[in-house]
Protein backbone atom coordinates (compact mmCIF):
# COMPACT_ATOMS: atom_id res chain seq x y z
CA UNK A 1 0.00 0.00 0.00
CA UNK A 2 1.52 3.37 -0.98
CA UNK A 3 2.11 6.06 1.59
CA UNK A 4 -0.76 8.53 1.58
CA UNK A 5 -0.85 11.95 3.13
CA UNK A 6 -3.77 12.54 5.44
CA UNK A 7 -6.39 15.14 4.65
CA UNK A 8 -6.01 18.54 6.31
CA UNK A 9 -7.39 18.48 9.82
CA UNK A 10 -6.95 14.74 10.19
CA UNK A 11 -4.30 13.33 12.48
CA UNK A 12 -3.00 9.86 13.10
CA UNK A 13 -4.84 8.50 16.10
CA UNK A 14 -1.91 6.71 17.75
CA UNK A 15 0.38 9.74 17.86
CA UNK A 16 -2.25 12.12 19.20
CA UNK A 17 -3.23 9.79 22.02
CA UNK A 18 0.37 9.38 23.17
CA UNK A 19 1.15 13.09 22.91
CA UNK A 20 -2.04 13.88 24.80
CA UNK A 21 -1.02 11.47 27.57
CA UNK A 22 2.46 12.99 27.68
CA UNK A 23 1.01 16.50 27.95
CA UNK A 24 -1.33 15.47 30.79
CA UNK A 25 1.62 14.01 32.72
CA UNK A 26 3.62 17.22 32.22
CA UNK A 27 0.70 19.37 33.34
CA UNK A 28 0.19 17.23 36.42
CA UNK A 29 3.87 17.55 37.40
CA UNK A 30 3.72 21.31 36.92
CA UNK A 31 0.56 21.42 39.04
CA UNK A 32 2.35 19.49 41.80
CA UNK A 33 5.13 22.11 41.83
CA UNK A 34 2.54 24.91 42.00
CA UNK A 35 0.78 23.14 44.90
CA UNK A 36 4.11 22.82 46.72
CA UNK A 37 4.75 26.52 46.06
CA UNK A 38 1.44 27.39 47.76
CA UNK A 39 2.37 25.63 51.02
CA UNK A 40 2.81 28.28 53.77
CA UNK A 41 6.58 27.78 54.30
CA UNK A 42 7.23 27.94 50.54
CA UNK A 43 5.28 31.17 49.95
CA UNK A 44 8.25 33.26 51.06
CA UNK A 45 11.74 33.13 49.55
CA UNK A 46 14.08 30.75 51.39
CA UNK A 47 16.82 33.40 51.39
CA UNK A 48 15.37 36.89 51.71
CA UNK A 49 11.78 36.25 52.89
CA UNK A 50 10.29 38.03 49.86
CA UNK A 51 6.63 37.07 49.50
CA UNK A 52 6.88 36.19 45.81
CA UNK A 53 8.59 32.86 45.05
CA UNK A 54 8.85 32.51 41.29
CA UNK A 55 11.70 30.00 41.04
CA UNK A 56 12.78 26.64 42.36
CA UNK A 57 16.35 25.86 43.41
CA UNK A 58 16.53 22.19 42.43
CA UNK A 59 19.98 21.81 43.98
CA UNK A 60 18.60 22.45 47.47
CA UNK A 61 14.88 21.86 46.85
CA UNK A 62 13.83 25.36 47.89
CA UNK A 63 11.55 28.07 46.54
CA UNK A 64 13.26 31.41 45.93
CA UNK A 65 12.45 34.84 44.48
CA UNK A 66 13.74 36.02 41.11
CA UNK A 67 16.53 38.17 42.64
CA UNK A 68 17.90 35.33 44.80
CA UNK A 69 17.64 32.87 41.90
CA UNK A 70 20.25 34.96 40.06
CA UNK A 71 22.64 34.64 42.99
CA UNK A 72 22.08 30.88 43.09
CA UNK A 73 22.73 30.65 39.34
CA UNK A 74 26.10 32.31 39.92
CA UNK A 75 26.92 29.40 42.25
CA UNK A 76 25.92 26.99 39.45
CA UNK A 77 22.81 25.79 41.28
CA UNK A 78 20.07 24.38 39.07
CA UNK A 79 17.27 26.96 38.98
CA UNK A 80 13.96 26.74 37.15
CA UNK A 81 11.24 29.34 36.83
CA UNK A 82 7.91 27.97 38.01
CA UNK A 83 5.79 29.74 35.40
CA UNK A 84 7.98 29.08 32.36
CA UNK A 85 9.37 25.59 32.91
CA UNK A 86 8.23 22.01 32.65
CA UNK A 87 9.37 19.74 35.43
CA UNK A 88 10.66 16.19 35.04
CA UNK A 89 9.46 13.42 37.37
CA UNK A 90 12.84 13.25 39.16
CA UNK A 91 12.77 17.02 39.80
CA UNK A 92 9.28 16.84 41.30
CA UNK A 93 10.36 13.85 43.41
CA UNK A 94 13.27 15.95 44.72
CA UNK A 95 10.90 18.76 45.69
CA UNK A 96 8.53 16.32 47.41
CA UNK A 97 11.34 14.75 49.45
CA UNK A 98 11.11 15.43 53.22
CA UNK A 99 14.53 17.12 53.22
CA UNK A 100 13.27 19.67 50.64
CA UNK A 101 11.16 22.75 50.99
CA UNK A 102 11.91 26.05 52.66
CA UNK A 103 10.93 24.86 56.13
CA UNK A 104 13.22 21.81 56.04
CA UNK A 105 16.20 23.73 54.67
CA UNK A 106 15.97 26.82 56.89
Amino acid sequence: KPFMLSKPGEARKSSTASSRRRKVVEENLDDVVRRLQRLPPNKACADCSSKLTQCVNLTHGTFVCMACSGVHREFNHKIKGIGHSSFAPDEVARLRHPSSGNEAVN
Side-chain angles (χ1 to χ4, degrees), residues 13-41:
K13 293 177 184 174
S14 62
S15 67
T16 27
S18 66
S19 67
R20 198 174 317 126
R21 261 182 274 145
R22 213 175 315 126
K23 187 171 185 175
V24 168
V25 169
E26 288 173 9
E27 288 172 353
N28 288 340
L29 293 174
D30 295 345
D31 289 343
V32 169
V33 173
R34 286 188 184 93
R35 272 195 302 271
L36 291 169
Q37 178 191 23
R38 286 192 296 265
L39 292 174

Side-chain angles (χ1 to χ4, degrees), residues 31-64:
D31 289 343
V32 169
V33 173
R34 286 188 184 93
R35 272 195 302 271
L36 291 169
Q37 178 191 23
R38 286 192 296 265
L39 292 174
N42 297 336
K43 284 185 176 181
C45 176
D47 295 329
C48 72
S49 300
S50 167
K51 297 287 184 196
L52 186 59
T53 58
Q54 298 174 318
C55 300
V56 176
N57 180 345
L58 293 167
T59 305
H60 297 293
T62 57
F63 291 82
V64 293

